[in-house]
Amino acid sequence: MTAVEDAPPLGFDPFHPAFQADPYAHYRPLRESSPVYRSPSTVWVLSRHADCMEVLRDNNFGHYDDSGQHVGMNGAVGDLSFLTMDPPDHTRLRGLVSKAFTAKVVRSLRPRVQELVDELLAGLRGRTEVDLISEFAHPLPVKVISEMLGVPAADQDRFTDWSNALARGLDPEFLLTPQQLAWRNEAKAEFDDYFRGLIELRRAEPAEDLLSGLVAAEQDGVVLTEQELLDTLTLLLVAGHETTVNLIANGTLALLRNPDQFEVLRANPDRAPEAVEELLRYDPPVQLTMRVAKSEVRLGGQLIKRNDLVMALIGAANRDPEVFEDPDRLDLLRPAGRQLAFGQGIHFCLGAPLARLEGQLALAGLVRAFPGMRLLEEHPTYRENLVLRGLAALHVGLG
């Protein structure tokens, strides 16, 4: 075999334990030596902030090639989710869904999110050791999105297994095993079956919830089809819930590994918004996104041809020293920068305001409630997802 054939398919091995523990150490040499890297798998891998920003903002990079083949995200998220669409379909569908995530709506959720944070923290008091993911980081966004959708409390635990499986649906299919694909597809079928029943109930008996709003949403006389509804609900669960779990857990881990920054947030809870932006930059829940070139373009001196696949490494871009001084240092007092954790352009994360709100209230509440919190394992285990970076568990001592 040649050296190229022996090379990892992306210039790094995303499933190697060393990479999962610290992908940034692997992004750095790639960004320094080959910032626009043509991988053996024929994907262009981008690791500089400027190149990633251009791809995210430029509508000449989309989700479908000339044959109509979709790239990057795959079947679990659904072909009819606006995350996987190009204009004009993306514009129509996002416009319908965005009404549920306006700044006014998110502001109105703040008291309830604070109440949920306080309830979860109260349940941890008196404990000496906990898995912070299963008992705090995961339940919070599940409860928030479930209540928004109008899912009965008795059914909310079913979201856990579905979300774990569907999260793999954000990874490129060529990196998934047949078993992982089958697990993802089975979860999608169960999720769709459950929500078909709830959709029919909301058509007959509308309520004051997001699902009823989506069922009734109309623009220029056009409403969401059932499949568009199901795929949008899948997106809200995976992109809205999983990423917030990772924001809270990754952020907590970063704070515990940087006690001086833990103390900065504990002493200055009013700086939670700035703290969350820095934590999103430092260890973003979404590590990459895929696009396809719709026309020839040059990036970093390399010719990207029409229909070429492009992978924008958000995690690498957020550590680019050309944009962020001393980028591998966590600094909650860092001036606001152009971190790309929520993307850019027409696909900028619709749920960003809600994720920010949950992250701010959760992390500020956590450090205030447990100032002596400490890690119980030096090297926590990460899940094998490529697109989403998240811990399998985060065991901490609370006293």
Side-chain angles (χ1 to χ4, degrees), residues 261-269 364 367-368 370-371:
Q261 299 304 301
F262 185 104
E263 181 58 25
V264 166
L265 180 57
R266 192 199 66 77
N268 303 277
V367 300
R368 184 175 62 249
F370 302 107

Side-chain angles (χ1 to χ4, degrees), residues 132-151:
L132 209 60
I133 292 180
S134 65
E135 302 201 47
F136 184 67
H138 187 277
L140 175 63
V142 164
K143 289 177 181 293
V144 171
I145 195 64
S146 296
E147 290 186 5
M148 287 180 69
L149 290 172
V151 174

Side-chain angles (χ1 to χ4, degrees), residues 31-222:
R31 186 178 58 237
E32 292 172 351
S33 63
S34 302
V36 182
Y37 172 71
R38 177 77 168 191
S39 76
S41 60
T42 72
V43 176
W44 289 100
V45 181
L46 312 179
S47 47
R48 281 191 306 214
H49 188 281
D51 298 324
C52 291
M53 177 80 85
E54 181 172 346
V55 165
L56 294 174
R57 285 184 167 179
D58 189 347
N59 290 344
N60 283 320
F61 291 94
H63 285 97
Y64 290 87
D65 63 20
D66 287 345
S67 69
Q69 179 70 34
H70 185 265
V71 301
M73 313 306 180
N74 53 47
V77 178
D79 291 336
L80 297 180
S81 157
F82 59 85
L83 182 65
T84 64
M85 286 181 174
D86 294 331
D89 291 332
H90 170 271
T91 308
R92 176 185 67 85
L93 191 52
R94 184 180 172 110
L96 288 170
V97 179
S98 65
K99 297 172 183 177
F101 291 93
T102 64
K104 181 179 179 181
V105 170
V106 171
R107 282 196 300 271
S108 73
L109 293 172
R110 187 181 186 94
R112 179 54 179 156
V113 175
Q114 184 67 68
E115 185 178 14
L116 290 170
V117 167
D118 293 343
E119 288 175 1
L120 290 167
L121 291 174
L124 300 180
R125 289 192 175 88
R127 306 275 297 279
T128 56
E129 300 179 2
V130 298
D131 170 18
L132 209 60
I133 292 180
S134 65
E135 302 201 47
F136 184 67
H138 187 277
L140 175 63
V142 164
K143 289 177 181 293
V144 171
I145 195 64
S146 296
E147 290 186 5
M148 287 180 69
L149 290 172
V151 174
D155 294 339
Q156 291 176 10
D157 287 344
R158 302 177 68 179
F159 276 32
T160 301
D161 291 337
W162 287 337
S163 63
N164 288 339
L166 292 172
R168 295 311 302 267
L170 295 176
D171 289 349
E173 287 201 353
F174 68 84
L175 292 174
L176 300 182
T177 67
Q179 292 80 8
Q180 289 166 338
L181 288 170
W183 181 44
R184 179 206 70 185
N185 293 340
E186 181 180 351
K188 174 63 171 167
E190 292 177 2
F191 180 92
D192 285 357
D193 283 345
Y194 174 83
F195 271 100
R196 281 192 186 96
L198 203 54
I199 287 168
E200 286 308 306
L201 178 62
R202 290 296 180 265
R203 289 193 198 280
E205 302 174 17
E208 294 294 323
D209 56 43
L210 174 55
L211 181 55
S212 297
L214 292 174
V215 168
E218 178 181 325
Q219 185 169 305
D220 299 327
V222 179

Side-chain angles (χ1 to χ4, degrees), residues 1-12 37-43:
M1 296 179 71
T2 67
V4 170
E5 289 172 329
D6 286 333
L10 300 173
F12 51 85
Y37 172 71
R38 177 77 168 191
S39 76
S41 60
T42 72
V43 176

Side-chain angles (χ1 to χ4, degrees), residues 82-83 94 101 239-240 243 286 341-356:
F82 59 85
L83 182 65
R94 184 180 172 110
F101 291 93
T243 54
V286 178
F342 291 122
Q344 288 286 317
I346 64 170
H347 288 285
F348 183 82
C349 177
L350 188 66
L354 180 58
R356 283 174 163 136

Side-chain angles (χ1 to χ4, degrees), residues 235-247:
L235 173 62
L236 293 175
L237 172 63
V238 176
H241 156 247
E242 284 287 335
T243 54
T244 306
V245 174
N246 295 347
L247 164 58

